[in-house]
Amino acid sequence: MKKILQDLSYAELEALVLELGEKKFRAKQLYDGLMQGKTILGITSLSKAFKERLLEEYENEPVRIKETYQSSDGTEKYLFEYADGNLVEGVLMKYKYGYTQCVSTQVGCRMGCKFCASTLGGLIRNLTAGEILSQILVVNALHKAEVAGQGKEARAVTNVVLMGSGEPLDNYDEVLKFLRNVTAEGGVCISARNISLSTCGIVPKMYKLADEGIALNLTVSLHATDDESRARTMPVAKAYKISEILKACDYYFKKTGRRYYFEYTLIEGENCDEEHARALVQLLKGKPCHVNLIRLNEVKERDLKSTGDKDAYRFLGYLEKGGLSATLRRQIGVDIGGACGQLRASYLEETKRV
Ligand code: SAH
């Protein structure tokens, strides 16, 4: 596979342009074009000779939207195809204040969580920083008409969540580079406050992230209140204890001043009785955190069942009564395979059948 220009920061791109014997202002034209989601060939302000020189080493189109699915609630889901044919998925959720895009950081995943479709075939490969960024660039380009007239810098995607396929902290260096590039001024320029990173709890990397000076929203997938139960659905629990995760979260708060979040997916017969709610309150009471309860998106390859609506609200009630800040996440895009990895898994299965 060729390299991709979207991996480069503005300074790196400028160095490349000069190295190739072009004038410095070409770097700005190139960067602006890329940040608008254009292919190399699609940037009209550059000479044909320069573009051909770039194409000797760099991919013209690192990612393209292979399929778009529309949910009845306005949510969109995409199947992205990379230059090597690998597929990942992404979701765009439309809110009044802007669009939130859920991005993937790996093709597949090696964490092995029992409820998750992304991990069914294991990890295929890491995505590079520019491949992650490109998911946003092409979605912005697709929706550019919606922000027309709002000024030159306006972008459709205002918020980003790293909650698609993959474990972001298992692809640390590329994810960090992505975070630096996506927050950089003059580019897509999404504020760290509008970015959430979700991890299954890779403790040493949580400390490392806290020290980077990027004040994003850190979210930990908890899904259980003791290590033994957690290990039943999340193999990573055998490596890192809940107590260690909580210490790392407190360190994150100390370093960034940002409260942190927990995701808790409600699985019937596993983690959503009153005793679990009590244990969760016990564990998190007084901490600067918020709990997001999620209804399980049932994955057909797995036999785990979602809790009913009534029980989900009852569980939320217990948490609130116990003094926790918590919400039950609105279920969106269920008709289009909302959960991580479901779309890719079903697409791969279908194409196998064909
Ligand atoms: N690897 C990261 C981010 C990707 S998953 C992590 O573990 O946090 C994003 C969130 O979706 C996690 O909380 C994950 O546990 C949850 N999730 C995965 N599959 C799900 C499913 N089928 N139903 C509900 N939530 C799911």
Side-chain angles (χ1 to χ4, degrees), residues 156-179:
V157 178
T158 54
N159 296 58
V160 174
V161 296
L162 286 81
M163 293 188 187
S165 292
E167 166 49 49
L169 299 187
D170 189 38
N171 182 17
Y172 190 89
D173 293 345
E174 292 301 321
V175 164
L176 200 81
K177 195 166 170 198
F178 159 74
L179 291 172

mmCIF file of all heavy atoms in Angstrom, residues 156-179:
data_model
loop_
_atom_site.group_PDB
_atom_site.id
_atom_site.type_symbol
_atom_site.label_atom_id
_atom_site.label_comp_id
_atom_site.label_asym_id
_atom_site.label_seq_id
_atom_site.Cartn_x
_atom_site.Cartn_y
_atom_site.Cartn_z
ATOM 1 N N ALA A 156 -19.531 20.050 8.794
ATOM 2 C CA ALA A 156 -20.744 19.359 9.245
ATOM 3 C C ALA A 156 -20.513 18.622 10.563
ATOM 4 O O ALA A 156 -21.320 18.679 11.475
ATOM 5 C CB ALA A 156 -21.222 18.390 8.169
ATOM 6 N N VAL A 157 -19.369 17.920 10.651
ATOM 7 C CA VAL A 157 -19.088 17.125 11.850
ATOM 8 C C VAL A 157 -18.488 18.034 12.927
ATOM 9 O O VAL A 157 -17.420 18.608 12.739
ATOM 10 C CB VAL A 157 -18.107 15.969 11.537
ATOM 11 C CG1 VAL A 157 -17.776 15.182 12.810
ATOM 12 C CG2 VAL A 157 -18.698 15.043 10.479
ATOM 13 N N THR A 158 -19.215 18.173 14.043
ATOM 14 C CA THR A 158 -18.732 19.055 15.115
ATOM 15 C C THR A 158 -18.216 18.271 16.318
ATOM 16 O O THR A 158 -17.481 18.807 17.142
ATOM 17 C CB THR A 158 -19.874 19.969 15.615
ATOM 18 O OG1 THR A 158 -20.984 19.136 15.994
ATOM 19 C CG2 THR A 158 -20.329 20.931 14.533
ATOM 20 N N ASN A 159 -18.654 17.023 16.430
ATOM 21 C CA ASN A 159 -18.256 16.184 17.572
ATOM 22 C C ASN A 159 -17.806 14.814 17.079
ATOM 23 O O ASN A 159 -18.349 14.299 16.110
ATOM 24 C CB ASN A 159 -19.432 15.997 18.526
ATOM 25 C CG ASN A 159 -19.879 17.304 19.162
ATOM 26 O OD1 ASN A 159 -20.242 18.245 18.471
ATOM 27 N ND2 ASN A 159 -19.823 17.361 20.471
ATOM 28 N N VAL A 160 -16.840 14.260 17.774
ATOM 29 C CA VAL A 160 -16.313 12.956 17.365
ATOM 30 C C VAL A 160 -16.279 12.026 18.565
ATOM 31 O O VAL A 160 -15.868 12.430 19.663
ATOM 32 C CB VAL A 160 -14.884 13.103 16.787
ATOM 33 C CG1 VAL A 160 -14.272 11.740 16.501
ATOM 34 C CG2 VAL A 160 -14.911 13.937 15.509
ATOM 35 N N VAL A 161 -16.726 10.807 18.375
ATOM 36 C CA VAL A 161 -16.553 9.792 19.423
ATOM 37 C C VAL A 161 -15.744 8.633 18.858
ATOM 38 O O VAL A 161 -16.014 8.147 17.762
ATOM 39 C CB VAL A 161 -17.907 9.305 20.016
ATOM 40 C CG1 VAL A 161 -18.634 10.441 20.720
ATOM 41 C CG2 VAL A 161 -18.818 8.704 18.965
ATOM 42 N N LEU A 162 -14.718 8.231 19.590
ATOM 43 C CA LEU A 162 -13.924 7.067 19.172
ATOM 44 C C LEU A 162 -14.551 5.848 19.833
ATOM 45 O O LEU A 162 -14.103 5.371 20.875
ATOM 46 C CB LEU A 162 -12.450 7.233 19.572
ATOM 47 C CG LEU A 162 -11.654 8.228 18.725
ATOM 48 C CD1 LEU A 162 -11.921 9.654 19.183
ATOM 49 C CD2 LEU A 162 -10.168 7.965 18.780
ATOM 50 N N MET A 163 -15.648 5.421 19.222
ATOM 51 C CA MET A 163 -16.439 4.325 19.791
ATOM 52 C C MET A 163 -16.854 3.333 18.717
ATOM 53 O O MET A 163 -17.767 2.544 18.912
ATOM 54 C CB MET A 163 -17.696 4.863 20.474
ATOM 55 C CG MET A 163 -17.444 5.675 21.707
ATOM 56 S SD MET A 163 -18.973 6.065 22.546
ATOM 57 C CE MET A 163 -18.383 7.183 23.820
ATOM 58 N N GLY A 164 -16.210 3.418 17.572
ATOM 59 C CA GLY A 164 -16.510 2.454 16.518
ATOM 60 C C GLY A 164 -15.688 1.195 16.735
ATOM 61 O O GLY A 164 -15.320 0.875 17.869
ATOM 62 N N SER A 165 -15.386 0.511 15.652
ATOM 63 C CA SER A 165 -14.623 -0.733 15.791
ATOM 64 C C SER A 165 -13.213 -0.447 16.276
ATOM 65 O O SER A 165 -12.590 0.545 15.883
ATOM 66 C CB SER A 165 -14.553 -1.444 14.447
ATOM 67 O OG SER A 165 -15.838 -1.885 14.112
ATOM 68 N N GLY A 166 -12.709 -1.349 17.115
ATOM 69 C CA GLY A 166 -11.331 -1.243 17.576
ATOM 70 C C GLY A 166 -11.222 -0.684 18.973
ATOM 71 O O GLY A 166 -12.145 -0.081 19.507
ATOM 72 N N GLU A 167 -10.058 -0.917 19.564
ATOM 73 C CA GLU A 167 -9.750 -0.379 20.894
ATOM 74 C C GLU A 167 -8.727 0.752 20.682
ATOM 75 O O GLU A 167 -7.566 0.487 20.348
ATOM 76 C CB GLU A 167 -9.193 -1.503 21.784
ATOM 77 C CG GLU A 167 -8.531 -1.047 23.072
ATOM 78 C CD GLU A 167 -9.370 -0.049 23.885
ATOM 79 O OE1 GLU A 167 -10.548 -0.297 24.118
ATOM 80 O OE2 GLU A 167 -8.802 0.993 24.269
ATOM 81 N N PRO A 168 -9.160 2.013 20.851
ATOM 82 C CA PRO A 168 -8.265 3.140 20.539
ATOM 83 C C PRO A 168 -6.924 3.078 21.265
ATOM 84 O O PRO A 168 -5.890 3.405 20.683
ATOM 85 C CB PRO A 168 -9.056 4.367 20.963
ATOM 86 C CG PRO A 168 -10.423 3.925 21.283
ATOM 87 C CD PRO A 168 -10.498 2.442 21.282
ATOM 88 N N LEU A 169 -6.930 2.640 22.513
ATOM 89 C CA LEU A 169 -5.673 2.644 23.267
ATOM 90 C C LEU A 169 -4.780 1.445 22.922
ATOM 91 O O LEU A 169 -3.638 1.363 23.372
ATOM 92 C CB LEU A 169 -5.937 2.722 24.774
ATOM 93 C CG LEU A 169 -6.690 3.987 25.242
ATOM 94 C CD1 LEU A 169 -6.751 4.049 26.760
ATOM 95 C CD2 LEU A 169 -6.067 5.264 24.673
ATOM 96 N N ASP A 170 -5.297 0.540 22.092
ATOM 97 C CA ASP A 170 -4.484 -0.568 21.587
ATOM 98 C C ASP A 170 -3.795 -0.160 20.269
ATOM 99 O O ASP A 170 -3.037 -0.920 19.680
ATOM 100 C CB ASP A 170 -5.391 -1.789 21.364
ATOM 101 C CG ASP A 170 -4.615 -3.065 21.045
ATOM 102 O OD1 ASP A 170 -3.542 -3.265 21.646
ATOM 103 O OD2 ASP A 170 -5.077 -3.847 20.186
ATOM 104 N N ASN A 171 -4.091 1.051 19.817
ATOM 105 C CA ASN A 171 -3.469 1.616 18.607
ATOM 106 C C ASN A 171 -3.023 3.024 18.979
ATOM 107 O O ASN A 171 -3.335 4.013 18.322
ATOM 108 C CB ASN A 171 -4.514 1.617 17.474
ATOM 109 C CG ASN A 171 -3.966 2.148 16.153
ATOM 110 O OD1 ASN A 171 -2.753 2.234 15.958
ATOM 111 N ND2 ASN A 171 -4.858 2.521 15.247
ATOM 112 N N TYR A 172 -2.295 3.103 20.100
ATOM 113 C CA TYR A 172 -2.079 4.359 20.798
ATOM 114 C C TYR A 172 -1.427 5.451 19.932
ATOM 115 O O TYR A 172 -1.928 6.566 19.837
ATOM 116 C CB TYR A 172 -1.249 4.124 22.066
ATOM 117 C CG TYR A 172 -1.202 5.348 22.945
ATOM 118 C CD1 TYR A 172 -2.167 5.558 23.914
ATOM 119 C CD2 TYR A 172 -0.211 6.308 22.774
ATOM 120 C CE1 TYR A 172 -2.154 6.697 24.706
ATOM 121 C CE2 TYR A 172 -0.193 7.454 23.554
ATOM 122 C CZ TYR A 172 -1.165 7.641 24.518
ATOM 123 O OH TYR A 172 -1.160 8.780 25.279
ATOM 124 N N ASP A 173 -0.295 5.132 19.301
ATOM 125 C CA ASP A 173 0.468 6.183 18.610
ATOM 126 C C ASP A 173 -0.321 6.804 17.466
ATOM 127 O O ASP A 173 -0.303 8.024 17.278
ATOM 128 C CB ASP A 173 1.797 5.622 18.091
ATOM 129 C CG ASP A 173 2.732 5.253 19.244
ATOM 130 O OD1 ASP A 173 2.456 5.694 20.386
ATOM 131 O OD2 ASP A 173 3.705 4.515 19.009
ATOM 132 N N GLU A 174 -0.994 5.958 16.689
ATOM 133 C CA GLU A 174 -1.761 6.481 15.551
ATOM 134 C C GLU A 174 -2.977 7.273 16.039
ATOM 135 O O GLU A 174 -3.314 8.310 15.468
ATOM 136 C CB GLU A 174 -2.192 5.346 14.619
ATOM 137 C CG GLU A 174 -1.033 4.669 13.884
ATOM 138 C CD GLU A 174 -0.220 5.631 13.003
ATOM 139 O OE1 GLU A 174 -0.821 6.518 12.367
ATOM 140 O OE2 GLU A 174 1.017 5.491 12.963
ATOM 141 N N VAL A 175 -3.616 6.775 17.098
ATOM 142 C CA VAL A 175 -4.782 7.483 17.637
ATOM 143 C C VAL A 175 -4.356 8.846 18.186
ATOM 144 O O VAL A 175 -5.014 9.857 17.973
ATOM 145 C CB VAL A 175 -5.506 6.628 18.707
ATOM 146 C CG1 VAL A 175 -6.465 7.468 19.553
ATOM 147 C CG2 VAL A 175 -6.259 5.482 18.034
ATOM 148 N N LEU A 176 -3.205 8.895 18.843
ATOM 149 C CA LEU A 176 -2.741 10.162 19.383
ATOM 150 C C LEU A 176 -2.429 11.168 18.268
ATOM 151 O O LEU A 176 -2.764 12.345 18.346
ATOM 152 C CB LEU A 176 -1.512 9.959 20.261
ATOM 153 C CG LEU A 176 -1.391 11.181 21.149
ATOM 154 C CD1 LEU A 176 -2.322 11.071 22.337
ATOM 155 C CD2 LEU A 176 0.013 11.410 21.572
ATOM 156 N N LYS A 177 -1.790 10.665 17.234
ATOM 157 C CA LYS A 177 -1.473 11.522 16.084
ATOM 158 C C LYS A 177 -2.773 12.028 15.439
ATOM 159 O O LYS A 177 -2.886 13.193 15.071
ATOM 160 C CB LYS A 177 -0.668 10.699 15.077
ATOM 161 C CG LYS A 177 0.014 11.510 14.034
ATOM 162 C CD LYS A 177 1.043 10.650 13.314
ATOM 163 C CE LYS A 177 1.555 11.387 12.114
ATOM 164 N NZ LYS A 177 2.200 10.497 11.154
ATOM 165 N N PHE A 178 -3.752 11.136 15.348
ATOM 166 C CA PHE A 178 -5.067 11.533 14.843
ATOM 167 C C PHE A 178 -5.637 12.662 15.701
ATOM 168 O O PHE A 178 -6.117 13.670 15.187
ATOM 169 C CB PHE A 178 -6.025 10.329 14.828
ATOM 170 C CG PHE A 178 -7.481 10.719 14.824
ATOM 171 C CD1 PHE A 178 -8.073 11.223 13.671
ATOM 172 C CD2 PHE A 178 -8.264 10.610 15.977
ATOM 173 C CE1 PHE A 178 -9.409 11.611 13.667
ATOM 174 C CE2 PHE A 178 -9.593 10.993 15.982
ATOM 175 C CZ PHE A 178 -10.171 11.502 14.831
ATOM 176 N N LEU A 179 -5.545 12.504 17.030
ATOM 177 C CA LEU A 179 -6.110 13.519 17.938
ATOM 178 C C LEU A 179 -5.416 14.863 17.743
ATOM 179 O O LEU A 179 -6.045 15.913 17.724
ATOM 180 C CB LEU A 179 -5.992 13.057 19.396
ATOM 181 C CG LEU A 179 -6.888 11.873 19.789
ATOM 182 C CD1 LEU A 179 -6.549 11.376 21.193
ATOM 183 C CD2 LEU A 179 -8.373 12.244 19.695
#
